[in-house]
Amino acid sequence: MNHFSRIGFILAAAGSAVGLGNIWKFPYITGEYGGGAFVLVYLLAIVFIGLSVFLAEAVIGQNAQADIATAFIKTSKSKNKNWKFSGFMIIAGLIILSFYSVVLGWILNYIITSFGDLPTTTEAAGQAFGDLISKNIAGQIVFHTVIAGTVIFIVLKGIKDGIEKINLILMPLLGLILIGLLIYALTLDSFSDALKYMFTPDFSKINGDALLAALGQAFFTLSLGVGTILTYSASLPKKVNFVKSSVMVAIVDTAIAIIAGLIIFSFLFEAGAKSTGGPGLVFISLPVIFSGWGVLGHIISVAFFIALVFAGITSAVSMIEPSLKFFTDRFSMSRAKATVICGAFFYVFGIIALLSMTGEFKPVLSAFGKNAFDWMDFITSSIMMPLAAIVTCVFLGYFVDKELLRRIFTAHVSETVFNIWYNLIKFLVPIAIIILFLNKLGII
Ligand code: PHE
C-alpha cells in the first residue's frame, strides 16, 4: 500500500503547510498590519479556526481512506452520492499551483542573481523585479518549466517514494538554513527590535481588515480548503494519532512563520528599512540590504532564496496530490496519465498567469481590472478556499453521525477535546468564515 509513515505524514503535511505563505506572505502582511497586534490575532486564528478545519479535513480523510469525493460520500450519514460534488476542491489546488509555480520561478531567478551584483538602491531593486515580471517572458517560462517539471517528476513517483522522500530531504535542509539565518539575525542589534515589533501588540491597530487578513492567512498557511490535508490524511494509517500529528504540524508551521518574521524584520531594521514593503518585501527590500553586507550578503541571499524554493516545492507537490488521487482512485486512471493531465493543466495556466503580467499580453489577459494572475489568486483564496472550508465544517457538523466522529476522536483524545472541536466546527468556524467570505467579496 502506498501509505505514509507517521513521521512521513507529519513531515509531508508540515512540508505542505510551510511554504511561500510563511516566509514571503506572513512577514509582509504582518508588516502591513503593524506587527504585534496582527501576530496575536493570527495566532488566535490558527488555534481556534485553522486547527479546527485542519482536524476536520484530517478526520474525513482518516475515516474514509479515499479521494475527496469518495471520502465525503463514505463519511456522510446518508451516503448520498451527490456528496461527490465536494470534489470541486481539487480545482483550487491546481489553480493555486499554476501561479505558485510562477512565483517559485521568480525565486529561482533570485538564486541566480544572488551570485552576481545585487541592487544597491530600492529603485534599482524595484526596477529589476518589475523588469522580470513585466518584460522577461522567455526567462519566466524557462523557470516555470523547471519548477513544473520538478513537481511532476516528484509526484509521478507516488506518495512514499516521491512525496514522503522529498519532504524527508528538503524539510530538514530548510530547517537548517532557517536556523542558520536565525542565528545570524540573533547577532544583530536589531533582533530585539524585531522581537518587540512582533510581540508587543498595539491593540489600536486591530480592526476588521486585520482580523480577516489573519483568518485568510491561517487557511492559506495550513493548506486548508483545497483537499490537501484530507488527501494526505487518507494515506495515514488508522492507528496513528492524527490529532497529535495535526497539532504538531500547526506548531511547526506557526514556529516557522514566526522565525521567518524575526529573521526578515531583524534584517530590515538593521538596515533602517521599513517593514511595510508589501509583496515586494523579499524581492525588493531584502536584496538591497544583502548588497550592503559584502560576500556574506551574497551567501545569505542564496541561502534565503534556496530556503524559499525548498519550502515552496514541498507545498507545490501537495497542491496537485488531491487531483491525482481523485483521478486514480475514482476513475481508475494510471498515476502517470493523471499526472500528465493535471500537469498540463497547471503548466498552461501558469503560462497564462505569467503572460498576464507582461506589457504585451496584459491587455488581452485582464478582465474587470485584474490580470489573470490576480484573478487566479482571488478566485482561489477569496472564494474557493473559504467555500470549501464552510462545506467541510457544515458537512461534519450537520450531515455526519456525531457518534462516528466521537469514536474516531476519543480513540486518541479525551471527550472534552472532542466536544470543543465539534462545537467549534459546528458553530464558530462556519460563522467566522462566512463573515470573511462576504467581506472579501465586498458584500460587508
Ligand atoms: N500552505 C502553503 C503555503 O503556506 C500553500 C498551500 C495552499 C499549500 C494550499 C497547499 C494547499 O505556502
Side-chain angles (χ1 to χ4, degrees):
M1 277 286 272
N2 209 351
H3 268 90
F4 283 121
S5 63
R6 188 181 98 91
I7 186 71
F9 169 79
I10 293 178
L11 274 179
S16 168
V18 175
L20 302 182
N22 305 57
I23 308 179
W24 166 60
K25 226 169 167 187
F26 173 73
Y28 89 70
I29 331 187
T30 301
E32 282 181 336
Y33 287 102
F38 179 81
V39 173
L40 183 71
V41 179
Y42 168 80
L43 293 177
L44 292 174
I46 291 279
V47 174
F48 290 104
I49 298 180
L51 187 56
S52 308
V53 179
F54 195 108
L55 287 169
E57 285 200 27
V59 75
I60 301 174
Q62 257 266 348
N63 173 55
Q65 307 264 312
D67 66 274
I68 301 184
T70 313
F72 267 76
I73 298 171
K74 244 171 131 174
T75 309
S76 69
K77 232 181 311 198
S78 61
K79 314 284 176 226
N80 189 325
K81 292 269 181 289
N82 282 330
W83 283 112
K84 69 172 181 244
F85 291 109
S86 59
F88 79 91
M89 289 181 206
I90 63 167
I91 301 167
L94 289 180
I95 299 177
I96 296 176
L97 181 51
S98 311
F99 65 83
Y100 208 82
S101 172
V102 173
V103 178
L104 280 170
W106 299 344
I107 297 168
L108 284 186
N109 172 79
Y110 272 76
I111 295 178
I112 296 171
T113 55
S114 299
F115 286 98
D117 286 340
L118 292 166
T120 50
T121 62
T122 309
E123 292 68 42
Q127 178 85 35
F129 182 58
D131 283 354
L132 170 69
I133 62 174
S134 66
K135 297 197 183 126
N136 192 349
I137 296 180
Q140 287 194 84
I141 291 184
V142 170
F143 291 128
H144 168 55
T145 308
V146 172
I147 296 288
T150 309
V151 170
I152 289 170
F153 176 77
I154 296 167
V155 295
L156 261 181
K157 292 182 176 288
I159 286 271
K160 191 104 195 143
D161 295 331
I163 295 182
E164 179 164 329
K165 212 177 234 164
I166 196 75
N167 277 289
L168 221 56
I169 301 169
L170 294 189
M171 289 304 283
L173 287 175
L174 170 67
L176 280 179
I177 297 179
L178 288 177
I179 290 172
L181 291 172
L182 181 66
I183 291 175
Y184 181 68
L186 270 165
T187 66
L188 302 174
D189 291 340
S190 49
F191 185 81
S192 55
D193 298 333
L195 261 184
K196 221 182 286 151
Y197 182 71
M198 286 185 73
F199 293 107
T200 322
D202 172 358
F203 289 102
S204 67
K205 292 206 171 115
I206 299 186
N207 56 20
D209 277 359
L211 292 178
L212 296 165
L215 193 55
Q217 174 65 8
F219 282 138
F220 188 80
T221 192
L222 288 176
S223 307
L224 303 172
V226 304
T228 288
I229 300 307
L230 191 159
T231 303
Y232 273 12
S233 308
S235 296
L236 181 67
K238 283 203 173 189
K239 58 180 190 308
V240 174
N241 184 340
F242 73 97
V243 182
K244 210 164 122 193
S245 307
S246 303
V247 171
M248 277 179 72
V249 172
I251 291 176
V252 170
D253 184 70
T254 307
I256 293 195
I258 301 279
I259 290 173
L262 287 173
I263 293 170
I264 290 174
F265 290 125
S266 302
F267 288 0
L268 290 172
F269 296 156
E270 190 70 15
K274 287 206 185 69
S275 56
T276 48
L281 202 62
V282 309
F283 294 116
I284 298 170
S285 313
L286 283 186
V288 180
I289 296 170
F290 296 148
S291 77
W293 290 350
V295 178
L296 186 66
H298 288 271
I299 296 171
I300 291 182
S301 186
V302 172
F304 177 78
F305 288 113
I306 286 182
L308 264 176
V309 170
F310 284 179
I313 286 285
T314 52
S315 299
V317 295
S318 78
M319 293 171 193
I320 192 172
E321 186 58 27
S323 323
L324 300 184
K325 191 164 177 69
F326 181 75
F327 286 123
T328 53
D329 290 16
R330 240 185 124 70
F331 298 103
S332 316
M333 206 182 264
S334 71
R335 191 161 174 101
K337 192 168 169 192
T339 308
V340 169
I341 294 174
C342 300
F345 178 94
F346 89 78
Y347 182 68
V348 171
F349 268 69
I351 293 197
I352 295 173
L354 74 85
L355 289 179
S356 79
M357 283 179 298
T358 60
E360 283 116 298
F361 293 96
K362 194 174 187 157
V364 257
L365 291 173
S366 297
F368 304 105
K370 270 197 208 327
N371 60 39
F373 185 103
D374 293 338
W375 270 116
M376 290 181 200
D377 183 18
F378 176 78
I379 289 175
T380 49
S381 62
S382 300
I383 300 181
M384 299 177 90
M385 289 170 106
L387 192 66
I390 295 176
V391 169
T392 307
C393 291
V394 169
F395 171 71
L396 286 172
Y398 302 90
F399 297 92
V400 172
D401 179 17
K402 187 174 176 183
E403 285 318 304
L404 169 74
L405 298 172
R406 188 197 306 273
R407 227 178 318 118
I408 304 176
F409 267 83
T410 52
H412 306 294
V413 292
S414 71
E415 185 87 18
T416 319
V417 173
F418 167 72
N419 282 325
I420 294 175
W421 169 80
Y422 192 73
N423 285 303
L424 283 173
I425 58 118
K426 194 163 176 157
F427 305 110
L428 180 101
V429 179
I431 293 171
I433 302 172
I434 286 170
I435 294 174
L436 165 79
F437 198 37
L438 296 180
N439 177 279
K440 284 251 194 158
L441 292 176
I443 297 169
I444 55 169

